[in-house]
Structures are given as C-alpha cells and as structure tokens.
C-alpha cells in the first residue's frame, strides 16, 4: 500500500499521465483512503479474488464469494483483501484434505492435497503434485486472475468480460482531469442533479446513513453506530448500555436487556460474565456478594447469585464457584464467608464438611481431642485422668495411685509404655503390669513415674 501511494503521489507531482496504470495490491479500499477518490480514479490492479466472482463452496461452508465478503466484513469491520480470502481458502482446502485422508499423518494429507479438486468461494482449488512442470510443487497451477479498477472510489472487476461488474475506463484521465472529480457536495450530502440556476444540487443523506469524503454515495451506518438525523457525515457509536437498533442503517440505539453488557459501539449484547450480574442500564457488571456464586453467564440481578452450599464458603466477591472447607473445618449453613474449625471432641476427615463428627462416633466412648480443627479419628484420645483399657472401647477413670495423662492407652503396646498410666509419688507398679499398684511403706522410696 505504501508503494502504491508513493507511486501515485510522484506521478501526480511529475505530471506523468499514462493511458493506463496497473499495479499490484491496489484492489484495496485503503488505497482510496490514502490518496483520495480523484487520485485513485482509474487505477487498475490484478488480483487473485474478488467478491463479485460467481464461485461458491460445494458444501456451503463459506458460501459464495459474496457471502465470504459479507461474513468477513461483519466479523472484522473491514472488507477482506484477496490475501484474507486466500488464507481462508488454504485453511478450507487443508480441512478437506484432512477429512479425505482420514488422518493427520503429514504424508497422507499431502497426497490428499495433490488429489484435491474442490470448488470453493475462492474458485477451483487444485494443487500441483511432484513432477508437474507447470509450477512449484504445492502451488495452484494456471489459476485465472481478474483485473479490478477503482472508479469514483468504488472497486469492481473489469476483466475478464465474463466476470466484469463494471466497464473498463480507458484511457485513464490525466491528473488535471481527475482534479475535476472533486466531489461538489459537502460531507453528509450527495449530488442530486442541477438546480434551476444550473448549480449542482446536493441532497442530505437519510437518517441511518452517512457520507464522508471517501465515498460518493450515502452508506448505511455500520453495526453499533447510528445517525439520528439527515445529513450525517460520520455515524456516532452507540453509547454504553445500548446497542444499534438494526444491524445496519440504524437511526437510534436501544437499551440492552438485563443480563447483558453493551460497551460503546455494540451491535450485539454480550452475556454478563460468570460471578457477576448485570441489571439493565448498568455499564459494568456487578460482582456477586461474598458467600455466593454465579456459575452461568447472563445473571440479571443479585437474586441470580446462588448462596454457597453447606460445607463450602466464599470469602471473595465476583466468584463463579464456592470453595470446599478443608479437612478439620466445617460450615453448617449456606452462604458462609468462611469455614469454622471443628471444636474439641470432634473432627472432619473430609473436605466439604457441613457437620463435624463427634469423637464418641469416631473413637473410644468418652474420648476427646487435645486440639481444635482435628481431621483424623486417631486424634480422639482418652482425656486427662482416664485411660483406655486393654479390652473395650470406652475410657475408664484412672485407678488410685496412678497418673493418666491425656491419651493414656494400655492398647498402645507398640508405643512402649509412653502412653501407659504411671505411678504417683508414694506408689509403685510392676513393670509390664501398670494397673497393679502398691502403696509404699516409705514414700521417700517411691518417687513415682
């Protein structure tokens, strides 16, 4: 584009006036924007593709050349250059080759490409195989091209005759003659014949349309914009929280419904993101409160935010999911901002617990835990001044003359005697028989332990 702009500028300055000027990469509306309607008038360009070509896909994937042109312009807000159509056609042919090969194997796909003969919006797609001297391996041999010409700011096909959408303008006007093409009407209006005094008569573009200095006719406002009065030179973008009333040629914007977002210049509302809700008329999404979640897009109001279930919590706003309470913690009711630690005498061995399990149900009867937030049943031990006997599942009072620390347990044989009851001062017990206690005649001889 820069080379074409430079060429036209210098030809104009040097007053070089050829009968025809044909350059590559000039079948592009940006050329008109760069050098203006008069200077681009009559410019010829060979191109691989044009939307006016009478070609289409066999399977309707893109449709016709005109369909592809419309889809591309709607998606990207600008008309496609032939390079964009070429790239899409290559991807389309690769997809068909993979489908034909039934495999992603490189060699199998290459063979499928060599054998491909496919009608598409870009024309017939065929590739030269090894040994084909018509071109490089993998190219499209002998592909017909078309020639376009820019006339009064519009681009159309002029050759070959069977594909032409406008008549060839030849010879090209001189630069001085092109200067006469300067449009006589101000922006927002179009030429409409002559007045009674012989002057050119200009008529305002209708509401919903516009004309700037790059076009010679009134054009519909693009999606997401509007013109609420006649004579518009530039369509205005729809403000936030609204969208254009129509896909094109809108005269006004309408309020976007609740559950959607509409940034500036929107034609199609966007769904409200997860973790948020979007009342009508709100520019930005509002986060769901802590203790709640919203997993699906499109929430209309705070009532669409769902409270976290028991066993889960949410300390933050704007979340799509609630977190599970960790082991040793619980949340007993819905809508919690945080989990609570299981109190002494209970435990939660799993995550997502809503009710802690009592030690009476998980360990010996009468047992408890030494700490809070316990997560394993082994934490349920006999309390101080009780012990767990060799047989049985209940804690018993510590016998006279013995001291039973927390967790005293005669069943813990493999733990030596660390958890066994020990003799108090003035008492003694035989090794291996911790419950056989004797009172000492001389207390100073029995320090305990």
């Amino acid at each position: 584009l820069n080379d074409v702009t430079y060429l036209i500028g210098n030809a104009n300055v040097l007053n070089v006036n050829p009968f025809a000027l044909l350059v590559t990469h000039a079948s592009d509306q940006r050329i008109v924007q760069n050098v203006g309607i008069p200077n681009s008038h009559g410019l010829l360009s060979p191109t691989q593709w044009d939307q006016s070509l009478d070609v289409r896909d066999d399977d309707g994937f893109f449709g016709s050349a005109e369909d592809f042109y419309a889809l591309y312009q709607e998606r990207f807000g600008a008309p496609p250059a032939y390079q964009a159509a070429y790239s899409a056609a290559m991807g389309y042919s690769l997809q068909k080759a993979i489908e034909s090969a039934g495999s992603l194997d490189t060699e199998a796909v290459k063979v499928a490409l060599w054998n491909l003969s496919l009608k598409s919006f870009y024309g017939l797609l065929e590739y030269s195989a090894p040994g084909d001297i018509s071109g490089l391996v993998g190219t499209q041999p002998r592909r017909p091209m078309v020639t376009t010409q820019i006339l009064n700011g519009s681009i159309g096909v002029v050759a070959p005759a069977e594909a032409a959408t406008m008549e060839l303008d030849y010879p090209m006007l001189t630069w001085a003659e092109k200067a006469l093409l300067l449009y006589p009407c101000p922006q927002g209006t179009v030429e409409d014949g002559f007045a009674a005094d012989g002057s050119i008569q200009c008529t305002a573009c209708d509401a919903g349309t516009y004309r700037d200095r790059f076009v010679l006719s009134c054009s519909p406002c693009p999606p997401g914009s509007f013109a609420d009065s006649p004579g518009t030179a530039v369509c205005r973008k729809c403000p936030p929280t609204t969208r254009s009333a129509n896909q094109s040629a809108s005269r006004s914007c309408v309020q976007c419904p609740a559950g959607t977002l509409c940034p500036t210049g929107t034609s199609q509302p966007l769904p409200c993101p997860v973790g948020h809700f979007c009342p009508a008329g709100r520019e930005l999404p509002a986060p769901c409160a802590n203790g709640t979640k919203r997993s699906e897009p499109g929430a209309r109001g705070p009532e669409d935010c769902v409270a976290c279930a028991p066993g889960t919590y949410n300390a933050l706003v704007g979340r799509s999911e609630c977190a599970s309470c960790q082991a040793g913690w619980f949340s007993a009711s819905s809508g919690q901002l945080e989990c609570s630690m299981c109190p002494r005498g209970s435990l939660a061995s799993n995550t997502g617990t809503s009710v802690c399990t009592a030690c009476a149900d998980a360990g010996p009867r009468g047992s408890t835990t030494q700490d809070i937030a316990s997560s394993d049943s082994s934490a349920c031990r006999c309390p101080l001044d009780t012990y767990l006997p060799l047989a049985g599942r209940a804690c018993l009072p510590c016998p006279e003359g013995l001291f039973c620390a927390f967790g005293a347990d005669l069943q813990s044989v493999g733990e030596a005697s660390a958890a066994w009851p020990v003799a108090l001062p003035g008492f003694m017990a035989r090794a291996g028989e911790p419950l056989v206690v004797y009172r000492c005649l001389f207390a100073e001889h029995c320090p305990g332990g």
Side-chain angles (χ1 to χ4, degrees), residues 178-199:
K178 289 182 180 185
L180 297 176
L181 285 177
L182 287 172
Y183 203 73
C185 294
Q187 296 183 58
T189 66
V190 289
E191 185 179 356
D192 190 19
F194 296 91
D197 61 0
S199 62

Side-chain angles (χ1 to χ4, degrees), residues 174-238:
T174 66
W175 301 111
E177 290 170 334
K178 289 182 180 185
L180 297 176
L181 285 177
L182 287 172
Y183 203 73
C185 294
Q187 296 183 58
T189 66
V190 289
E191 185 179 356
D192 190 19
F194 296 91
D197 61 0
S199 62
I200 294 176
Q201 184 169 286
C202 299
T203 300
C205 294
D206 293 335
T209 67
Y210 75 101
R211 190 190 74 79
D212 58 22
R213 64 188 180 91
F214 300 116
V215 294
L216 296 178
S217 60
C218 298
S219 301
C221 289
S225 64
F226 71 104
D228 56 0
S229 60
T232 296
V234 179
C235 298
R236 289 183 289 164
K237 290 184 177 181
C238 289

Side-chain angles (χ1 to χ4, degrees), residues 43-44 72 82 87-88 91 101 146-147 153 178 234 284 292 294 304 321 330 432 449:
L43 189 62
L44 294 162
Y72 188 97
Y82 81 85
S87 299
V146 297
T147 301
K178 289 182 180 185
V234 179
L284 298 175
T292 68
R294 174 69 188 187
D304 293 332
E321 297 295 339
F330 75 103

Side-chain angles (χ1 to χ4, degrees), residues 407-423:
D409 183 0
L410 292 182
Q411 297 179 9
S412 59
V413 176
E415 302 175 18
S417 58
W420 289 3
V422 296

Side-chain angles (χ1 to χ4, degrees), residues 34-396:
N34 284 356
V35 302
I37 291 173
N39 288 332
S40 64
H41 183 79
L43 189 62
L44 294 162
S45 179
T47 183
Q48 295 278 359
W49 178 85
D50 187 85
Q51 76 271 17
S52 63
L53 294 176
D54 185 20
V55 290
R56 65 172 51 249
D57 305 331
D58 280 336
D59 60 357
F61 186 84
F62 285 111
S64 65
E66 188 175 356
D67 292 335
F68 177 84
Y69 183 93
L71 287 169
Y72 188 97
Q73 188 161 33
E74 180 182 357
R75 176 70 180 273
F76 300 104
Y82 81 85
Q83 294 94 334
Y86 173 85
S87 299
M90 296 306 98
Y92 177 62
S93 61
L94 179 59
Q95 172 189 326
K96 289 300 181 181
I98 292 173
E99 291 175 359
S100 175
S103 169
L104 294 177
D105 178 73
T106 301
E107 293 302 318
V109 174
K110 285 166 73 174
V111 172
L113 279 171
W114 292 334
N115 295 324
L116 188 71
S117 182
L118 177 68
K119 292 180 180 179
S120 76
F121 75 95
Y122 192 71
L124 184 64
L125 298 176
E126 293 181 343
Y127 297 87
S128 57
D132 188 342
I133 62 173
S134 63
L136 297 175
V137 174
T139 62
Q140 295 189 66
R142 300 175 295 279
R143 174 175 173 77
M145 298 178 66
V146 297
T147 301
T148 63
Q149 189 172 38
I150 301 175
L151 297 178
N152 293 325
S154 298
I155 302 174
V157 175
V158 293
E162 62 268 21
T165 59
M166 60 172 60
E167 282 189 38
L168 172 67
D169 187 48
Y170 179 87
M172 189 173 73
L173 299 176
T174 66
W175 301 111
E177 290 170 334
K178 289 182 180 185
L180 297 176
L181 285 177
L182 287 172
Y183 203 73
C185 294
Q187 296 183 58
T189 66
V190 289
E191 185 179 356
D192 190 19
F194 296 91
D197 61 0
S199 62
I200 294 176
Q201 184 169 286
C202 299
T203 300
C205 294
D206 293 335
T209 67
Y210 75 101
R211 190 190 74 79
D212 58 22
R213 64 188 180 91
F214 300 116
V215 294
L216 296 178
S217 60
C218 298
S219 301
C221 289
S225 64
F226 71 104
D228 56 0
S229 60
T232 296
V234 179
C235 298
R236 289 183 289 164
K237 290 184 177 181
C238 289
T241 75
T242 67
R243 63 174 178 86
S244 53
N246 305 306
Q247 280 302 301
S248 64
S250 289
R251 300 187 177 195
S252 62
C253 300
V254 295
Q255 182 72 56
C256 288
T260 65
L261 285 177
C262 287
T264 301
T266 296
S267 61
Q268 290 292 341
L270 304 173
C272 191
V274 296
H276 297 75
F277 59 92
C278 301
R282 185 179 175 93
E283 185 173 348
L284 298 175
C288 288
N290 44 11
T292 68
K293 66 171 183 174
R294 174 69 188 187
S295 303
E296 300 293 331
R300 295 167 164 267
E303 65 278 3
D304 293 332
C305 299
V306 181
C308 293
T312 66
Y313 74 100
N314 194 352
L316 304 175
V317 300
R319 310 302 290 181
S320 61
E321 297 295 339
C322 299
S324 297
C325 294
Q326 66 186 52
W329 297 65
F330 75 103
S331 66
S333 57
S334 59
Q336 294 300 303
L337 278 62
E338 60 183 13
C339 299
S340 301
M341 294 183 286
C342 288
R344 285 186 176 86
S346 65
L347 61 98
S349 57
N350 298 318
T351 59
T353 296
S354 59
V355 178
C356 298
T357 302
C359 276
D361 298 321
R365 290 191 301 276
S367 64
T368 186
T369 60
Q370 194 167 20
D371 300 308
I372 57 177
S374 296
S375 59
D376 193 277
S377 60
S378 62
C380 292
R381 310 295 293 271
C382 290
L384 183 68
D385 293 331
T386 66
Y387 74 100
L388 185 64
L390 285 172
R393 291 286 298 162
C395 298
L396 300 178

Side-chain angles (χ1 to χ4, degrees), residues 1 3-4 22-27 31 43-47 82 145:
L1 294 179
D3 290 343
V4 176
L22 185 144
V23 295
T24 59
H25 305 293
S27 183
I31 295 295
L43 189 62
L44 294 162
S45 179
T47 183
Y82 81 85
M145 298 178 66

